[in-house]
Amino acid sequence: MIDVEHVTMRFRMANDKVMSLKEYVVAILRKKLIYEELTVLDDVSFTVNKGEVMGIVGKNGAGKSTLLKIIAGVLKPTAGKVNTYGNIVPMLELGSGFDQELSGRENVYLNGAILGYSKEFLDSKYDEILDFSELKDFIEMPIRNYSSGMLMRLAFSIATVVRPEILIVDEILAVGDAGFQNKSKDRMLELMSGGTTVLFVSHSIAQIEQMCERVVWLEDHKIKMVDTAAVVCEAYREYWNQH
Amino acid sequence: MKKRTKQFSIFFLTYVIIAVAFFLIGGEQIQYSLIESNIQPVKGMFPELSAGNVLEQSFYSSSDTLDQISIMTGTYGRENTGTLEFSLLDGESHQSLNQIAVPVYDLVDYGMFTWKFDKELFGVKDKLFIFRVESTCPEGQAPTICYSEPENGVAPARMNNELKDVQFTFQFCGKLYSWFGQSYWMLVAALGGVLLIYVVITIYRESRGKYTLPMYMEGVWKKYGFLIRQLVVRDFKIKYKRSVLGYLWSFLNPLLTMLVQYFVFSNLFKSDIKNFPVYLLSGTILFSFFQEAVGQGLISVLANAPLITKVYMPKYIYPITKVLSSSVNLLISIIPLLIVTIITGEKITLAILLLPFAIFCLLLFCIGLSMLLASAMVFFRDTQYLWGIATLIWMYATPLFYPDTIIPEQYRIILKLNPLYHFIKFVRTVLIDGVSPEPRRYFYCLVSALFICIVGSIVFKKSQDKFVLYI
């Protein structure tokens, strides 16, 4: 379902990010435009099978988020390639492209379109989204009047209304008040257990152990271990105990 | 397969309908242009042209047909009697082709007399003619004609078979058939043939399960059409969201700008321009669309940085939707333009159906330029400020409120290289003159739009993978 083949990602870090033409010319003239290469992912390869729930663990800065972005298609790797089969829903950010001036209803369609849903799909799921978000009549108000909790509820309801073939999750999102947090957590677990292929990043090793079949461990921008959840989690815990 | 065949048949039928409609609407303008030779300034007069005197002027026709000759006459400010006999002779065989006897009391001192042929002469390009003037007037009551410095390439006039080092002060007019108009049906057939071959190949390839361009475009539309519509609707909805008059501003803005310009410039340029209000309004509307669309498109990639780093969608969607959103505005402001056109007494002719062509070219042009500048903007933030200055220069270099004739001959090339000038001129010809522009104008519009669009797309495509690293 997801083939990650020898993916290497390097960022060119200029001494200082050159932002204007003048600075650029000056930098070239002074021959100061030397780039430092920063390798974020180094020859990473693994495969996620259809219907599998794959966890990714690693320290902060190990390259987990970059890897997810590459798989989601937001970033293009410097070398190597990623093949994905099926529609991907990356749950990296909720409420992308919300417009403050538009009403909740208009934002459902806007945000849905950005996430790649079709009009027919949104029409048929609209009531479900409205129900789940518990916004009721507020849905016709411009969202600049929403509280942050209401915003997150709406965003979450839109993002999780699909049954994607591939789901990319960066931490399980639990938003809103306690009631909604439980509801949203259930929704996530339901999505992840519903036969979809899931790529799941979390810092909670307990959650990973509970949810995932196999786990990739990234360490220093490389793959340190790919194995079943039990094996990797065991090793990972041991690693943290030593450090 | 069946669906494809049907789609292509509709496509083909549309092509034929457009080709025929264009031929009918374009009418005479795409067939020929009217050519008038230059009138040279008067230098003097021939001696009195009494009976027995013969004046002859030979000239080469520069047009395909010849239908009138004008000549400047002198009457010495007195009442003359008799007739002047004009005749047009074939330069080789000296055979008379056309003649007319003009009563001399019809002539005006230093006035042009226009002799319109009763039948047009055809197929006369580069042919030599002799224009002969004879007289039946008694001496002392005869008029004469004026002469000018001889032009390059024009043979001097003869008086009673004696060469004079001057030429008649005259002008000949005719039609010059355009290559485009002459070979129109051939071009239509050739393009149709190419399309047909392409269609057949595509159907064949699809039947063998190959991936083709129409399939790709269909896929893109299916996948992103809804998104593009949503983004355009969003932009349009929030544009006037909290203003009292709302969408009415799209209507009022160009009108008010036009009024201001009218009062500021009317004394300066009004007399040189036919229908000054429509002239101003068409320039204002197109230019402000251009300014708004490219200005928005320019920052579109940068402004959507939060989206680009989080969700995947083809990046060209950002500049394209911005230009499309502005074009909604443009379509609304065309309504006041049409209203003003009608109020000022211009007839709305079928030529108005040609407007979409200019708008289409303008859209392509703006999309191309937006892509180009949006890419530049990601890497150099200065682009925005440079663009501000560039549009200012561009605005003054485009004849929006002044007539294009005030630009000296040697700088006309600036106009020719300015695509906006061609788009605006196109619209003005259609609205003010009520006819189709000449074939050249279509060519300039389309080529400049396609050129910028292709350059913009290539630059955008080459740099888009790096965007996310710089925003």
Side-chain angles (χ1 to χ4, degrees):
Chain A
M1 216 52 180
I2 305 175
D3 280 331
V4 179
E5 292 171 22
H6 305 286
V7 165
T8 296
M9 187 73 205
R10 280 190 216 99
F11 288 116
R12 284 214 302 189
M13 306 280 280
N15 284 351
D16 194 13
K17 218 173 188 180
V18 178
M19 279 304 180
S20 79
L21 192 63
K22 189 190 113 199
E23 286 173 39
Y24 187 76
V25 173
V26 169
I28 287 181
L29 289 179
R30 288 187 183 162
K31 302 202 169 144
K32 263 196 163 176
L33 203 69
I34 309 155
Y35 292 105
E36 262 177 57
E37 295 239 306
L38 181 71
T39 307
V40 185
L41 289 172
D42 190 3
D43 196 19
V44 171
S45 306
F46 62 91
T47 308
V48 188
N49 301 317
K50 191 169 169 33
E52 196 173 34
V53 179
M54 183 80 140
I56 301 177
V57 293
K59 280 196 293 194
N60 278 336
K64 300 187 298 290
S65 294
T66 308
L67 184 59
L68 290 191
K69 280 185 179 177
I70 288 174
I71 294 170
V74 173
L75 280 176
K76 206 176 176 187
T78 318
K81 62 175 178 181
V82 176
N83 292 319
T84 51
Y85 308 94
N87 69 320
I88 305 184
V89 169
M91 231 163 271
L92 304 175
E93 178 94 347
L94 291 180
S96 316
F98 266 1
D99 197 292
Q100 295 293 321
E101 294 292 332
L102 297 182
S103 72
R105 175 195 289 272
E106 287 163 330
N107 268 305
V108 168
Y109 282 88
L110 178 61
N111 185 239
I114 286 169
L115 293 176
Y117 308 164
S118 69
K119 183 171 184 333
E120 295 73 37
F121 179 80
L122 283 168
D123 283 339
S124 67
K125 293 284 183 180
Y126 179 75
D127 289 334
E128 192 183 319
I129 294 172
L130 183 55
D131 252 14
F132 196 85
S133 66
E134 300 168 6
L135 282 169
K136 299 196 182 83
D137 294 341
F138 287 108
I139 199 79
E140 304 295 350
M141 272 176 35
I143 62 166
R144 68 186 134 89
N145 299 332
Y146 283 21
S147 70
S148 56
M150 287 159 79
L151 263 186
M152 289 317 284
R153 260 152 49 199
L154 181 62
F156 184 89
S157 311
I158 303 168
T160 54
V161 76
V162 273
R163 296 283 176 275
E165 286 162 84
I166 301 173
L167 184 66
I168 299 178
V169 183
D170 198 352
E171 298 287 344
I172 286 204
L173 302 150
V175 295
D177 57 21
F180 196 81
Q181 267 188 28
N182 284 335
K183 205 166 110 177
S184 56
K185 204 164 174 179
D186 288 348
R187 183 75 171 258
M188 288 293 279
L189 297 179
E190 181 198 320
L191 267 184
M192 290 165 68
S193 59
T196 38
T197 309
V198 182
L199 208 57
F200 175 39
V201 168
S202 178
H203 284 290
S204 154
I205 196 75
Q207 230 171 31
I208 293 262
E209 204 167 19
Q210 182 199 342
M211 300 279 317
C212 301
E213 289 148 41
R214 290 198 303 148
V215 177
V216 175
W217 177 4
L218 284 179
E219 173 79 19
D220 281 338
H221 320 297
K222 288 189 187 114
I223 287 192
K224 182 155 178 161
M225 201 183 242
V226 187
D227 214 322
T228 56
V231 178
V232 178
C233 289
E234 183 64 41
Y236 192 64
R237 279 209 188 86
E238 208 156 287
Y239 170 85
W240 277 111
N241 288 337
Q242 284 168 11
H243 287 75
Chain B
M1 176 73 190
K2 243 207 171 127
K3 188 176 138 227
R4 260 284 183 268
T5 319
K6 196 176 154 199
Q7 277 176 346
F8 281 134
S9 318
I10 293 173
F11 170 72
F12 224 73
L13 199 67
T14 320
Y15 172 74
V16 173
I17 292 173
I18 288 179
V20 173
F22 180 68
F23 186 77
L24 296 177
I25 295 168
E28 297 170 348
Q29 271 63 35
I30 60 167
Q31 296 292 329
Y32 55 78
S33 42
L34 289 176
I35 299 282
E36 298 177 333
S37 65
N38 293 325
I39 305 176
Q40 299 298 314
V42 181
K43 220 184 128 205
M45 275 185 196
F46 287 103
E48 191 192 30
L49 201 58
S50 51
N53 286 313
V54 180
L55 279 173
E56 281 181 335
Q57 171 71 54
S58 55
F59 65 92
Y60 287 96
S61 161
S62 51
S63 48
D64 290 314
T65 70
L66 211 55
D67 54 16
Q68 68 178 45
I69 293 183
S70 307
I71 185 156
M72 190 176 278
T73 53
T75 61
Y76 304 104
R78 64 188 181 204
E79 300 258 318
N80 298 310
T81 53
T83 54
L84 279 188
E85 279 162 11
F86 296 136
S87 48
L88 188 68
L89 310 179
D90 187 308
E92 317 264 299
S93 61
H94 288 254
Q95 200 188 345
S96 172
L97 299 169
N98 222 334
Q99 51 206 4
I100 191 175
V102 183
V104 293
Y105 53 78
D106 277 357
L107 302 178
V108 182
D109 207 15
Y110 289 107
M112 290 303 269
F113 173 77
T114 299
W115 171 24
K116 204 160 169 46
F117 303 160
D118 40 8
K119 58 181 198 301
E120 222 176 337
L121 298 173
F122 288 97
V124 297
K125 179 113 190 13
D126 295 328
K127 257 177 90 171
L128 182 65
F129 288 97
I130 297 170
F131 178 38
R132 180 183 283 168
V133 185
E134 285 160 299
S135 167
T136 62
C137 307
E139 242 174 271
Q141 286 186 322
T144 187
I145 59 175
C146 304
Y147 61 74
S148 311
E149 198 77 44
E151 238 179 315
N152 277 341
V154 176
R158 288 165 180 269
M159 182 154 194
N160 303 327
N161 256 332
E162 193 185 313
L163 275 178
K164 301 277 176 196
D165 197 23
V166 292
Q167 70 164 61
F168 287 14
T169 306
F170 79 132
Q171 183 189 40
F172 50 92
C173 305
K175 296 169 182 165
L176 182 64
Y177 286 98
S178 69
W179 171 83
F180 179 79
Q182 292 296 292
S183 32
Y184 181 74
W185 292 113
M186 233 166 67
L187 287 173
V188 167
L191 187 59
V194 171
L195 287 175
L196 194 65
I197 292 171
Y198 179 74
V199 161
V200 169
I201 292 177
T202 306
I203 290 181
Y204 174 73
R205 277 171 53 106
E206 278 180 14
S207 70
R208 309 213 18 201
K210 294 242 173 66
Y211 194 66
T212 57
L213 187 67
M215 276 168 87
Y216 172 75
M217 292 191 331
E218 222 173 49
V220 166
W221 179 246
K222 214 169 151 190
K223 216 164 167 191
Y224 300 112
F226 176 56
L227 173 62
I228 292 175
R229 280 204 305 277
Q230 281 295 317
L231 290 172
V232 170
V233 167
R234 189 264 313 252
D235 285 342
F236 189 66
K237 270 186 186 157
I238 62 173
K239 185 168 169 129
Y240 300 115
K241 190 81 181 184
R242 290 204 230 175
S243 65
V244 180
L245 291 179
Y247 304 139
L248 217 60
W249 275 116
S250 291
F251 210 92
L252 283 178
N253 236 334
L255 276 181
L256 295 176
T257 317
M258 185 270 277
L259 277 180
V260 172
Q261 287 182 342
Y262 186 82
F263 286 115
V264 175
F265 296 115
S266 59
N267 284 333
L268 270 176
F269 302 122
K270 197 172 152 192
S271 53
D272 305 345
I273 297 171
K274 197 182 157 200
N275 203 336
F276 197 49
V278 175
Y279 188 91
L280 278 178
L281 198 55
S282 48
T284 312
I285 287 176
L286 293 199
F287 196 88
S288 53
F289 162 71
F290 162 76
Q291 207 170 8
E292 186 194 321
V294 180
Q296 292 281 323
L298 163 79
I299 53 165
S300 62
V301 170
L302 219 54
N304 281 303
L307 264 186
I308 290 176
T309 50
K310 262 132 212 158
V311 189
Y312 171 77
M313 61 170 114
K315 294 182 186 65
Y316 57 78
I317 282 186
Y318 302 108
I320 288 180
T321 47
K322 282 296 174 194
V323 174
L324 289 182
S325 322
S326 311
S327 71
V328 176
N329 224 353
L330 171 70
L331 292 181
I332 294 180
S333 38
I334 282 183
I335 300 170
L337 177 61
L338 293 182
I339 292 174
V340 171
T341 310
I342 294 170
I343 289 176
T344 52
E346 297 299 342
K347 267 213 194 82
I348 299 280
T349 61
L350 272 183
I352 206 166
L353 295 176
L354 299 168
L355 273 187
F357 177 83
I359 293 172
F360 172 74
C361 289
L362 182 60
L363 268 185
L364 270 190
F365 181 74
C366 289
I367 287 175
L369 204 56
S370 294
M371 287 202 189
L372 188 68
L373 293 173
S375 325
M377 181 69 187
V378 173
F379 304 109
F380 302 110
R381 305 292 152 103
D382 305 35
T383 311
Q384 199 176 359
Y385 308 108
L386 289 172
W387 177 245
I389 298 297
T391 42
L392 192 67
I393 298 172
W394 205 326
M395 189 181 91
Y396 286 115
T398 312
L400 296 180
F401 46 78
Y402 57 82
D404 43 11
T405 44
I406 68 166
I407 292 184
E409 201 72 52
Q410 64 263 38
Y411 299 120
R412 288 280 163 87
I413 184 81
I414 297 176
L415 283 187
K416 276 208 158 157
L417 289 176
N418 179 357
L420 282 177
Y421 167 71
H422 295 297
F423 303 144
I424 292 173
K425 181 108 180 161
F426 189 108
V427 172
R428 284 172 179 165
T429 312
V430 166
L431 289 181
I432 299 177
D433 301 333
V435 295
S436 153
E438 57 224 307
R440 255 188 319 166
R441 191 79 55 210
Y442 290 90
F443 180 76
Y444 289 142
C445 288
L446 197 60
V447 166
S448 54
L450 282 179
F451 175 74
I452 294 290
C453 200
I454 290 170
V455 170
S457 317
I458 292 174
V459 170
F460 195 83
K461 193 173 159 56
K462 290 234 154 142
S463 54
Q464 63 178 352
D465 288 336
K466 289 197 208 142
F467 286 173
V468 73
L469 307 177
Y470 286 85
I471 52 182

